[in-house]
Amino acid sequence: MAILIVTDNPTLNIGLRTIIIGEFPDITIFEAETLQKTLALNFGQPVNIVVLDAGVADGKNIALLDTFKRAYPQAAVVVYLGDEFEYIYAFAKAGITALISRKSDAVEVAEALHRAHKRLRFVSFDIQQILLSDIAAGPKVAGKAKH
């Protein structure tokens, strides 16, 4: 099994690597600083999960994400939103597998990875709360997750 981490944030990278290695001891981890760079790489084996940091230079480029998904159709995509909640709906519509945020702890990130490996959807608790608030607010606010 292989996981690709797309981030330019060294602290996030270290945290993700620690969780991934703890949960999947025999894993191969690849890294890239942008989504665009992943399209030029040959990993030598199928990538099962991609953890995309929405904060990278092209991390919110949905068209590029679609191109990536066509190039790696077997890869489940886990998006780390950080605090950029205004992109929740765009990523959900793009068909990503999981959404996590800065508030996601190690247990929640591990659960997102395990569910992504099984191709099951996952949304972190704080993002669920934002979505529920938007639904409760009615159609005037829905689609504008600004928290």
Side-chain angles (χ1 to χ4, degrees):
M1 186 169 129
I3 292 181
L4 168 63
I5 300 172
V6 181
T7 186
D8 56 2
N9 179 332
T11 305
L12 176 61
N13 192 355
I14 291 168
L16 287 170
R17 288 180 68 83
T18 301
I19 294 167
I20 291 166
I21 291 167
E23 295 296 316
F24 305 98
D26 297 325
I27 194 79
T28 301
I29 300 174
F30 299 108
E31 298 174 358
E33 290 182 351
T34 66
L35 195 53
Q36 182 68 47
K37 287 181 181 178
T38 66
L39 297 174
L41 297 175
N42 179 1
F43 299 109
Q45 72 183 84
V47 173
N48 305 91
I49 300 172
V50 176
V51 181
L52 171 62
D53 176 4
V56 299
D58 57 4
K60 294 173 274 302
N61 184 331
I62 300 301
L64 187 58
L65 178 59
D66 287 340
T67 301
F68 175 87
K69 287 173 55 181
R70 283 192 300 278
Y72 298 96
Q74 77 286 351
V77 179
V78 176
V79 175
Y80 170 78
L81 286 173
D83 290 329
E84 302 187 67
F85 297 120
E86 64 269 23
Y87 298 100
I88 292 171
Y89 291 97
F91 281 117
K93 289 178 184 175
I96 56 88
T97 310
L99 282 171
I100 56 176
S101 78
R102 180 169 297 191
K103 292 183 180 180
S104 299
D105 62 14
V107 172
E108 197 168 47
V109 172
E111 183 178 352
L113 293 169
H114 282 288
R115 290 182 60 92
H117 181 61
K118 295 176 186 173
R119 304 294 284 188
L120 300 172
R121 297 268 177 125
F122 179 85
V123 178
S124 68
F125 181 76
D126 62 314
I127 296 172
Q128 289 177 35
Q129 296 308 304
I130 291 168
L131 292 170
L132 289 171
S133 294
D134 280 359
I135 291 168
K140 294 177 188 169
V141 178
K144 299 178 183 175
K146 299 218 185 227
H147 298 272

